[in-house]
């Protein structure tokens, strides 16, 4: 198999962000926030980040419908988690067909 460059694997690199103060998350629970990313489609890859420390919470993202990325903060820390206001960013990578 030939080695390919990153830019040869994806058709588009799309971005979006939202500033939100997510609700307090109990241990073992999660909270979600939607981000509009124009052009995002089911099956695309998603990278997410947060502008503040997630305090051992786990941040994941996925395309849930056309143009919409859902960022999920999961709490398995053993206690309540309340991050306060933060900016959540998503990078969507659309693979070549």
């Amino acid at each position: 198999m030939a080695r390919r460059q990153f830019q040869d694997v994806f058709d588009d690199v799309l971005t979006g962000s939202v500033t939100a103060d997510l609700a307090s998350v109990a241990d073992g629970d999660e909270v979600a926030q939607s981000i509009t990313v124009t052009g995002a489609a089911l099956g695309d890859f998603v990278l997410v980040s947060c502008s503040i420390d997630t305090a051992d919470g786990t941040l994941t993202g996925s395309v849930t419908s056309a143009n919409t990325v859902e960022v999920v903060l999961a709490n398995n820390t053993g206690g309540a988690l309340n991050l306060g206001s933060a900016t959540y960013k998503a990078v969507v990578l659309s693979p070549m067909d």
Side-chain angles (χ1 to χ4, degrees):
M1 180 173 170
R3 192 170 129 176
R4 293 174 31 173
Q5 296 295 320
F6 185 82
Q7 64 268 26
D8 294 335
V9 179
F10 299 102
D11 279 333
D12 288 313
V13 177
L14 312 167
T15 61
S17 67
V18 66
T19 298
D21 188 350
L22 302 181
S24 181
V25 186
D27 182 44
D29 208 353
E30 57 189 33
V31 64
Q33 174 66 49
S34 293
I35 300 175
T36 299
V37 180
T38 303
L42 294 172
D44 288 352
F45 295 90
V46 179
L47 304 169
V48 293
S49 69
C50 180
S51 63
I52 61 174
D53 183 4
T54 59
D56 293 328
T58 304
L59 198 62
T60 59
S62 62
V63 177
T64 56
S65 63
N67 305 317
T68 303
V69 169
E70 186 171 83
V71 176
V72 176
L73 175 66
N75 178 12
N76 294 304
T77 64
L81 185 60
N82 190 348
L83 299 183
S85 183
T87 300
Y88 297 87
K89 297 178 184 178
V91 175
V92 176
L93 305 168
S94 180
M96 292 183 155
D97 293 328

